[in-house]
């Protein structure tokens, strides 16, 4: 793969494959330049976009620029930029939705229902993945989208692999109920 690259070939598909091979070999630093070039070159390959976003997230976590050790809006946007064009590209990868939820949970608080619809899509693709469902429910609750959060909690209780995970969903449900039942003085 490196031979055509060393001879000047800069096809984004080739750069994506080289970057993915570097990731598989554990050379994240070497992978980054190839993945950046591939995604910037327009390659549509979900795993390449995911790996680039993962590398960007690892870098952003080292120096979060937001309040309270959170990612800034600019950092979150930079991390998720490679994923934005592939959220709806087959094949659906759980890692893409999980990373999106992770970045949003560590980033600035303001998310719209349209943003969170991406996680709804992930939950539809992976309806038995309790961690993803929990993250989606938590983010919906944090934004005040209580009906959506409650629906996800109900779904999560069915998908929970064990009693401990069911307890996490029940705790989230209790917090949601406490917020929605508080009456103003």
């Amino acid at each position: 793969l490196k031979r055509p690259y060393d001879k000047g070939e800069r096809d984004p598909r080739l750069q994506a494959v080289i970057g993915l091979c570097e990731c598989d070999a554990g050379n994240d630093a070497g992978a980054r330049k190839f993945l950046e070039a591939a995604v910037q070159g327009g390659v549509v390959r979900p795993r390449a976009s995911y790996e680039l976003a993962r590398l960007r997230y690892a870098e952003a976590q080292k120096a979060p620029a937001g309040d309270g050790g959170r990612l800034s809006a600019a950092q979150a946007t930079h991390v998720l930029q490679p994923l934005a064009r592939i959220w709806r590209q087959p094949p659906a990868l759980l890692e893409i939705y999980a990373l999106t939820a992770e970045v949003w949970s560590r980033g600035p608080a303001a998310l719209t229902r349209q943003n969170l619809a991406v996680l709804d899509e992930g939950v539809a693709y992976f309806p038995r993945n309790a961690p993803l469902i929990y993250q989606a429910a938590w983010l919906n609750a944090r934004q005040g989208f209580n009906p959506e959060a409650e629906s996800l909690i109900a779904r999560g209780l069915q998908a929970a692999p064990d009693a401990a995970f069911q307890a996490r969903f029940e705790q989230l449900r209790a917090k949601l109920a406490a917020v929605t039942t508080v009456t103003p003085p």
Side-chain angles (χ1 to χ4, degrees):
L1 292 174
K2 286 274 196 117
R3 190 171 299 146
Y5 182 84
D6 291 341
K7 290 182 178 181
E9 180 61 49
R10 296 299 184 263
D11 184 286
R13 295 170 298 182
L14 173 65
Q15 290 174 318
V17 171
I18 294 171
L20 291 173
C21 286
E22 293 290 350
C23 283
D24 291 343
N27 183 10
D28 287 346
R32 174 98 185 243
K33 73 176 185 175
F34 293 109
L35 295 173
E36 289 281 0
V39 170
Q40 186 176 23
V43 76
V44 179
R45 190 167 185 155
R47 181 162 173 245
S49 294
Y50 162 74
E51 292 292 350
L52 176 57
R54 180 186 63 80
L55 294 172
R56 287 180 176 183
Y57 181 54
E59 180 182 304
Q61 282 185 299
K62 291 177 186 174
D67 295 334
R70 301 178 78 72
L71 299 180
S72 69
Q75 285 177 310
T77 300
H78 182 68
V79 169
L80 294 177
Q81 179 267 330
L83 301 181
R85 72 172 110 159
I86 56 118
W87 276 318
R88 290 177 175 80
Q89 284 291 330
L93 299 176
L94 174 61
E95 294 86 354
I96 290 170
Y97 297 103
L99 181 60
T100 300
E102 177 73 16
V103 170
W104 281 340
S105 69
R106 304 255 188 260
L111 294 171
T112 65
R113 194 53 215 128
Q114 184 179 2
N115 294 134
L116 294 171
V118 170
L119 296 184
D120 294 343
E121 183 179 292
V123 169
Y125 282 127
F126 304 100
R128 304 291 308 156
N129 189 280
L132 178 63
I133 297 168
Y134 183 85
Q135 282 281 70
W138 182 82
L139 285 165
N140 273 280
R142 185 175 91 169
Q143 297 303 312
F145 301 119
N146 297 346
E148 291 84 356
E150 180 56 43
S151 174
L152 287 163
I153 290 168
R155 177 179 255 177
L157 284 167
Q158 293 176 346
D162 55 34
F165 221 103
Q166 284 182 338
R168 289 183 67 197
F169 280 106
E170 290 294 352
Q171 288 173 346
L172 183 58
R173 177 179 271 167
K175 287 178 186 176
L176 189 62
V179 169
T180 58
T181 59
V182 173
T183 57

